[in-house]
């Protein structure tokens, strides 16, 4: 806490740190709001700049984009029924309906307030819980770490929005790609085909850049014109009427915010889940507990509050997982992990011991950035209407060129650019065939780490697999992981049984 | 007036699995073949581990076996859903595909441009390659106002050169032969090198 006070003071005294956060939030809001440009793509666009900065500034810049990007899409979702990011789809359902009922100004204010509540409260939890979790994690051996990683990887199958088998397949591709190169413990080359280039392995940053930025551009430029025409004047008028909810309206939403915040935090903490899953779970729960579930999608304020609060709360959960365990909970935190790694640092419990100042600075930044976002978000409601006019080809060309930098500046190797471009093409086809790309990247990032912990566990326990079940923490995570893997199978078996019973009854 | 993608597109994208039938099966079988190939390659990995310890082949083998099993499962699932959905499509008298919202010509051109850009970069250097790439991309994308396009292309390239070469010292590709001389000359002219 002393460190946090000092970090807050240094943050306030260093205008560059504040500037980084403001710039990050603005870029995030714009990237999140513009259709075709996601928050992750926004982060990847600034990655080459971030890699050249001091690690503290870089992390605050990226965190600003992270929280700004999750909120940004809600503005266009409410005004135009165009969610800038998938995580704002729930907001569009009720936000746009509220707008059509003449309550667009209220919906805009409600989205901003809900987003900030979720983000700020989750940042507070990170500040309080991360040191405790890191202290516990310091006592973990390779066995416990492997169990946690196994659980994180297994949840990919149930928390993704698509088919579980396709998510797992994508994950296996990532796990396999993570084995290319010289193996860490024995120094054995694997799948290098005798080339020097592959000996260093496949760096995840170019793959991340390709899958998320280049793939998105290909999607954007090759889609047929399904555009709709939106009246800008009407949207401007609504944006001018933006207002925050009054006390009574806030009081009515207190339990909605509480539930959504808890869900968001929890989902964010689990690797591979992320803000979209948090928003859908938060929205779904609110619909289930509501006395008027039939009115969801027709303009219920709870719908806007739940989606926005849950998706922003997931940022805290993801940061908690990254900082205290060294495991990225989302694509956004994977980019932050890249910054740590390029700078020669390894997030996780050790960083609390080795670099407490950096951790405190990130904590202080998370609190301050969430406060700054409120003001910037309010100011950006009106300009967002005008920004919707940015021509698609200009945006696409700039993303591609900046993607080049994102891939190139990691090692100053043109091979990484080739890899990013190729990953972009593969990512595009994966999306078309409904294979999610996030599990692949997750497998590539966490795979080598999981293998290292698995092999170390085996070496130190004489290849005795039962060690994963005889230690309590490990047993809990391994069993939870196995259940997560089996859930889709059980679900489809029960559905099959249910339908056959129905058939018999008929 | 603002032109933008509508949310109404989202359900159409979800419902496209009905059209994927054959391509879905082929894609999964291709993945299975690749997994099989690398499983064979696993046997070529030298085993340097101490006696009695797990082989370094274990982890990749597990990943590849998972990949093989899942791709075969997905291929089988695609075949089953294909036969079911064909009946539905016959009833409805319509066929909709995953490619219906994709302009294949645009896609092919975009893929070529994306893959040619790094190649141009190696031979022509970053500055010239980026100017050419952005100009072609904007023109092809329908952004053809010469003044605005020139501003975006030249302004964007110069800004990136200034930031990455002058401020953060990134050794951007300078090209080969004549192009290298040109890039060095340009850097000197801009006083960034």
């Amino acid at each position: 806490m002393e460190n946090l006070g000092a970090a807050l003071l240094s943050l306030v005294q260093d205008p560059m740190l504040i500037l980084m956060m403001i710039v990050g939030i603005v870029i995030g809001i714009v990237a999140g709001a513009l259709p075709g440009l996601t928050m992750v793509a926004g982060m990847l666009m600034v990655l080459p700049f971030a890699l050249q900065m001091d690690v503290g500034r870089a992390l605050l810049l990226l965190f600003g984009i992270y929280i700004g990007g999750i909120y940004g899409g809600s503005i266009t979702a409410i005004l135009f029924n165009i969610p800038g990011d998938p995580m704002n789809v729930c907001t569009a359902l009720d936000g746009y309906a509220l707008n059509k009922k003449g309550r667009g100004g209220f919906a805009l204010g409600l989205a901003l307030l809900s987003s900030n509540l979720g983000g700020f409260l989750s940042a507070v939890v990170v500040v309080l819980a991360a040191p405790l979790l890191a202290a516990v994690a310091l006592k973990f051996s390779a066995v416990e770490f492997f169990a946690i990683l196994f659980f994180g990887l297994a949840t990919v199958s149930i928390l993704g929005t698509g088919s579980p088998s396709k998510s797992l397949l994508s994950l296996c591709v990532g796990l396999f790609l993570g084995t290319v190169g010289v193996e860490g413990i024995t120094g054995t080359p694997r799948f290098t085909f005798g080339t020097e280039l592959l000996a260093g392995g496949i760096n995840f940053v170019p793959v991340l850049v390709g899958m998320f930025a280049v793939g998105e551009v290909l999607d954007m430029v090759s889609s047929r014109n399904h555009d709709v025409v939106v009246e800008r004047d009407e949207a401007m008028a609504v944006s001018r009427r933006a207002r925050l909810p009054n006390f009574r309206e806030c009081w009515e939403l207190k339990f909605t915010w509480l539930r959504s915040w808890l869900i968001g935090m929890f989902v964010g903490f689990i690797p591979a889940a992320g803000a979209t899953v948090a928003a859908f779970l938060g929205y779904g729960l609110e619909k289930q507990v509501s006395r008027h579930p039939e009115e969801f999608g027709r303009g219920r304020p709870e719908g806007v509050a739940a989606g926005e609060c849950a998706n922003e709360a997931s940022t805290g959960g993801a940061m908690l997982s990254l900082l205290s365990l060294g495991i990225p909970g989302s694509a956004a935190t994977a980019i932050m992990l890249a910054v740590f790694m390029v700078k020669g640092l390894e997030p996780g419990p050790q960083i609390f011991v080795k670099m407490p100042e950096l951790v405190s600075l990130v904590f202080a930044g998370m609190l301050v950035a969430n406060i700054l976002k409120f003001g910037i978000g309010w100011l950006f409601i009106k300009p967002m209407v005008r920004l919707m006019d940015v021509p698609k080809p200009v945006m696409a060309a700039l993303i591609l060129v900046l993607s080049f930098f994102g891939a190139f500046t990691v090692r100053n190797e043109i091979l990484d650019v080739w890899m990013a471009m190729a990953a972009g093409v593969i990512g595009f086809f994966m999306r078309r065939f409904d294979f999610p790309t996030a599990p692949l990247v997750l497998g590539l990032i966490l795979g080598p780490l999981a293998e290292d912990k698995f092999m170390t566990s085996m070496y130190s326990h004489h290849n005795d697999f039962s060690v994963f079940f005889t230690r309590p923490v490990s047993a809990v995570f391994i069993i939870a992981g196995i259940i997560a893997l089996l859930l889709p199978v059980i679900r489809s078996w029960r559905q099959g049984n249910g339908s056959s019973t129905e058939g018999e009854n008929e | 007036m603002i032109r933008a993608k509508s949310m109404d597109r989202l359900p159409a994208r979800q419902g496209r699995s009905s059209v994927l039938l054959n391509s879905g099966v082929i894609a999964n079988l291709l993945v299975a073949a690749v997994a099989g190939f690398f499983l064979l390659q696993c046997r070529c990995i030298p085993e340097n581990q101490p006696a009695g310890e797990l082989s370094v082949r274990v982890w990749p083998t597990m990943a590849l076996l998972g990949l093989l099993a899942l791709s075969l499962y997905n291929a089988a699932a695609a075949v089953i859903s294909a036969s079911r959905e064909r009946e539905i499509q016959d009833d409805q008298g319509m066929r909709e595909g995953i490619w219906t919202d994709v302009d294949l010509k645009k896609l092919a051109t975009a893929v070529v441009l994306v893959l040619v850009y790094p190649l141009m970069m190696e031979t022509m250097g970053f500055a010239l390659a980026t100017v050419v790439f952005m100009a072609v991309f904007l023109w092809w994308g329908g952004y053809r106002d010469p003044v605005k396009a020139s501003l975006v292309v030249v302004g964007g390239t110069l800004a990136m050169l200034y930031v990455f070469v002058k401020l953060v010292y990134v050794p951007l590709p300078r090209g080969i032969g004549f192009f290298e001389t040109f890039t060095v000359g340009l850097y000197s002219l801009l006083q960034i090198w």
Side-chain angles (χ1 to χ4, degrees), chain B residues 6-112:
Chain B
S6 162
M7 206 189 139
D8 302 340
R9 283 187 58 209
L10 293 174
R13 209 180 146 95
Q14 283 162 0
R16 68 172 184 247
S17 61
S18 58
V19 225
L20 254 192
L21 311 177
N22 295 328
S23 48
V25 175
I26 292 165
N28 279 297
L29 288 178
L30 261 175
V31 174
V34 172
F37 169 76
F38 280 108
L39 265 174
L40 290 175
Q41 286 293 316
C42 268
R43 300 174 69 180
C44 306
I45 298 172
E47 296 196 298
N48 297 335
Q49 75 280 1
E53 299 295 357
L54 275 187
S55 164
V56 290
R57 294 175 185 174
V58 170
W59 191 261
T61 305
M62 286 196 298
L64 287 165
L65 282 175
L67 189 58
L68 185 66
L70 286 161
S71 51
L72 291 175
Y73 169 82
N74 282 332
V79 169
I80 293 166
S81 75
S83 55
R84 280 184 193 160
E85 283 167 10
R86 185 159 296 152
E87 289 166 19
I88 297 166
Q89 281 162 0
D90 288 346
D91 289 346
Q92 292 175 342
M94 55 182 263
R95 285 187 77 84
E96 191 188 284
I98 50 160
W99 304 111
T100 48
D101 63 338
V102 178
D103 186 326
L104 290 175
K105 272 187 194 165
K106 274 187 179 177
L107 174 65
T109 317
V111 169
V112 169

Side-chain angles (χ1 to χ4, degrees), chain A residues 35-36 48-49 52 80-83 89 92-93 146 153 163 165-166 168-169 172-173 175-176 179 183 186-191 193 214 217-219 221-232 235 385-386 388-389 391 393-394 396-398 400-402 404-405 408-409 412 414 417-418 421-422 425 428-429 431-435 447-448 450-451 454-455 458-459 462-463 465 492, chain B residues 1-10 13-14 16-17 20 23-24 27-28 31 34 37-39 41-42 45-50 52-60 62-64 66-67 70-74 98-104 106-107 110-111 114-119 121-122 126 130 133-134 137-138 140-143 152 156 160-161 163-164 168-173:
Chain A
F49 302 96
Q52 311 299 328
F80 307 119
N81 199 23
I82 303 164
V89 168
L93 294 175
F146 173 74
L153 293 171
S163 144
S165 63
K166 287 184 174 177
L168 283 174
L169 189 145
C172 284
V173 174
L175 289 175
F176 164 65
T179 66
E183 197 260 345
T186 59
T188 311
R190 293 185 299 197
F191 310 111
F193 300 101
V214 180
V217 169
L218 290 178
D219 216 9
V221 298
S222 66
S223 72
R224 288 186 196 281
N225 207 354
H226 284 262
D227 292 0
V228 289
V229 178
V230 185
E231 283 296 336
R232 184 207 262 177
V385 180
R386 289 205 173 89
M388 295 291 287
D389 282 344
V394 174
L398 286 174
L400 282 177
V401 175
L402 285 167
F404 154 78
F405 282 109
F408 184 78
T409 47
N412 294 336
I414 199 86
V417 182
W418 279 105
M421 299 301 167
V425 177
F428 171 82
F429 282 101
R431 284 186 210 193
R432 283 282 138 190
F433 284 95
D434 279 335
F435 286 95
E451 182 187 10
F454 175 74
M455 296 302 270
M458 290 293 94
Y459 284 158
H462 311 290
N463 300 336
F465 284 93
S492 70
Chain B
M1 297 287 245
I2 293 165
R3 301 186 71 81
K5 277 193 293 185
S6 162
M7 206 189 139
D8 302 340
R9 283 187 58 209
L10 293 174
R13 209 180 146 95
Q14 283 162 0
R16 68 172 184 247
S17 61
L20 254 192
S23 48
N28 279 297
V31 174
V34 172
F37 169 76
F38 280 108
L39 265 174
Q41 286 293 316
C42 268
I45 298 172
E47 296 196 298
N48 297 335
Q49 75 280 1
E53 299 295 357
L54 275 187
S55 164
V56 290
R57 294 175 185 174
V58 170
W59 191 261
M62 286 196 298
L64 287 165
L67 189 58
L70 286 161
S71 51
L72 291 175
Y73 169 82
N74 282 332
I98 50 160
W99 304 111
T100 48
D101 63 338
V102 178
D103 186 326
L104 290 175
K106 274 187 179 177
L107 174 65
V111 169
V114 158
L115 295 178
V116 161
Y117 182 45
L119 191 71
M121 191 104 55
E122 276 189 296
F126 171 80
T130 302
F133 171 76
M134 282 181 77
F137 200 90
L138 291 183
W140 168 74
Y143 192 73
V152 171
M160 281 184 266
L161 274 179
V163 170
F164 286 99
V168 293
Y169 309 110
V170 175
L172 293 173

Side-chain angles (χ1 to χ4, degrees), chain A residues 2 40 45 75 111 116-117 136 169 178 191 195 220 240 302 328 367 377 381 410 416 423 432 448 459 470 481 500:
Chain A
E2 280 173 26
V40 174
M45 281 168 73
I75 302 173
N116 272 274
L117 268 177
V136 174
L169 189 145
F191 310 111
T195 58
M220 191 198 299
R240 272 194 286 270
E302 291 95 327
L367 293 171
I381 290 175
V410 177
D416 287 334
R432 283 282 138 190
Y459 284 158
T470 51
S500 65

Side-chain angles (χ1 to χ4, degrees), chain A residues 179-262:
Chain A
T179 66
V180 175
V182 175
E183 197 260 345
I185 298 176
T186 59
T188 311
R190 293 185 299 197
F191 310 111
T192 58
F193 300 101
T195 58
E196 286 277 319
L197 287 172
L198 289 172
I202 295 176
N203 192 300
F204 73 85
V205 178
V207 177
L208 197 72
V209 169
M211 291 273 168
F212 289 99
V214 180
E216 225 164 72
V217 169
L218 290 178
D219 216 9
M220 191 198 299
V221 298
S222 66
S223 72
R224 288 186 196 281
N225 207 354
H226 284 262
D227 292 0
V228 289
V229 178
V230 185
E231 283 296 336
R232 184 207 262 177
D233 295 343
E234 192 187 320
M236 282 302 280
V238 174
S239 68
R240 272 194 286 270
R241 289 197 300 268
R243 71 162 178 93
L244 291 172
N246 59 33
F247 181 76
R248 190 179 55 79
E249 289 162 337
C250 287
W251 188 251
E252 284 170 3
L253 292 167
K254 59 186 181 296
F255 290 119
T256 301
W257 280 326
L258 182 68
R259 282 187 289 265
S260 311
W261 166 65
L262 286 172

